[in-house]
Amino acid sequence: WQSQLHGGPGMAQRQFQRQLTPSMASHEFDVLIVGSGLAGLSAALHLAPTHRVAVITKRQLQDGASAWAQGGIAAALADDDSFAAHIEDTLVAGAGLCDLAATRFVVENAPEAIAWLRQLGVPFSMEGDQLHLTREGGHSARRIAHVTDATGAAVQRTLIDVVRATKGITVFEQHTLVDVITSHKLGLAGPQQCLGLYALDGATDEVVTFRAPQTILATGGAGKVYLYTTNPDTATGDGIAAAWRAGCRVGNMEFIQFHPTGLYHPHAKSFLISEAVRGEGGKL
């Protein structure tokens, strides 16, 4: 969810600033990004050249689901592949539930996204001077660009290094989103606007105020509402709940990712097992 104030901070931001409690720590940026997965870090890197960006994450930058992805990233890159085939495979695998416009956008922009990641230094597996493309379930062609069998971790590691070295991006680790701040919550007149957010600083156990005319929630899913899940402990739906409290529409909440294979132990945390195990002949 993204909330944008067009034309600068305006009157609401100035009124908000006057209402702050003097003792409350406060930060001001152009854009606030909550979440440090691939979505949040990518947004930060695209915005940093022209904006002062804050990346706020409840634990460390590397925590979250992105680094857990193993197989690779699908993109129609081979000469014998096409966008149309990739779209059709996705719609079939999605049992007719995919949003066609979103599917088309992701598929058609995937090669450009791979090229951007390569420019940043992601060490994709190569075959000669070409990307090595593997094939996974549901795909009719070889279109999976990968970094051996730990693609998500490699991409996340690269983006974190670039983010930490990028001027204009300030990272706030151990800061948990409490709630977004809206003009209506402050009793300000006019249309509903997002003015920033409150976050709990884990180091000081104090609530900190972040002000910005634009806020992006990239906080991931809510898999931890289930007792048994392969999702990380950070997947608690904080951003989804904050968006809903602020009046945003929330949809598709019935779709929660469960990895098909996990190791269960009654006295230890479950963890996912790569789909490559079944691909190589393992049976459930």
Side-chain angles (χ1 to χ4, degrees):
W1 168 63
Q2 179 176 351
S3 180
Q4 179 173 351
L5 301 181
H6 298 284
M11 182 64 72
Q13 280 281 351
R14 290 193 291 272
Q15 288 178 290
F16 171 37
Q17 188 168 355
R18 288 197 294 269
Q19 290 189 16
L20 286 176
T21 304
S23 61
M24 180 177 287
S26 178
H27 303 281
E28 186 166 0
F29 292 89
D30 297 321
V31 183
L32 307 176
I33 300 175
V34 189
S36 61
L38 298 188
L41 297 183
S42 297
L45 289 172
H46 280 90
L47 290 166
T50 54
H51 297 77
R52 294 173 301 134
V53 180
V55 175
I56 301 160
T57 186
K58 70 166 70 170
R59 291 191 180 174
Q60 304 298 315
L61 279 186
Q62 65 270 22
D63 290 320
S66 292
W68 294 25
Q70 297 170 330
I73 306 171
L77 297 166
D79 293 337
D80 59 350
D81 201 1
S82 68
F83 291 152
H86 192 177
I87 290 170
E88 179 62 23
D89 289 347
T90 305
L91 296 178
V92 170
L97 297 174
C98 305
D99 181 288
L100 180 58
T103 302
R104 186 180 302 280
F105 181 88
V106 171
V107 166
E108 293 180 350
N109 286 276
E112 183 181 349
I114 296 290
W116 180 71
L117 291 174
R118 293 184 71 185
Q119 289 175 358
L120 292 179
V122 175
F124 285 103
S125 297
M126 305 294 291
E127 191 170 37
D129 59 353
Q130 301 292 322
L131 285 171
H132 179 267
L133 300 177
T134 187
R135 181 171 170 175
E136 290 187 348
H139 293 279
S140 60
R142 285 185 168 271
R143 61 169 70 104
I144 310 300
H146 63 102
V147 184
T148 60
D149 62 348
T151 307
V155 177
Q156 182 83 336
R157 200 159 45 240
T158 301
L159 262 62
I160 287 174
D161 289 344
V162 178
V163 162
R164 290 197 184 278
T166 298
K167 185 179 180 180
I169 300 177
T170 305
V171 174
F172 293 88
E173 296 177 303
Q174 304 294 340
H175 279 67
T176 302
L177 173 67
V178 175
D179 209 358
V180 295
I181 303 169
T182 64
S183 53
H184 287 184
K185 289 178 182 177
L186 297 178
L188 305 179
Q192 173 84 307
Q193 297 176 337
C194 181
L195 306 175
L197 59 88
Y198 296 121
L200 178 65
D201 184 342
T204 65
D205 203 30
E206 294 179 345
V207 173
V208 181
T209 301
F210 289 85
R211 300 197 307 273
Q214 300 181 75
T215 295
I216 298 174
L217 298 179
T219 57
K224 288 298 287 187
V225 300
Y226 292 91
L227 178 60
Y228 299 112
T229 176
T230 55
N231 285 272
D233 290 341
T234 53
T236 51
D238 307 41
I240 298 169
W244 181 79
R245 289 193 298 267
C248 292
R249 291 177 299 163
V250 175
N252 301 320
M253 287 300 294
E254 70 273 28
F255 294 105
I256 302 288
Q257 182 183 27
F258 284 85
H259 295 97
T261 314
L263 182 72
Y264 170 77
H265 190 286
H267 305 301
K269 276 190 177 181
S270 303
F271 61 86
L272 68 92
I273 295 175
S274 172
E275 293 189 37
V277 170
R278 285 194 313 287
E280 293 297 331
K283 297 184 183 301
L284 292 177

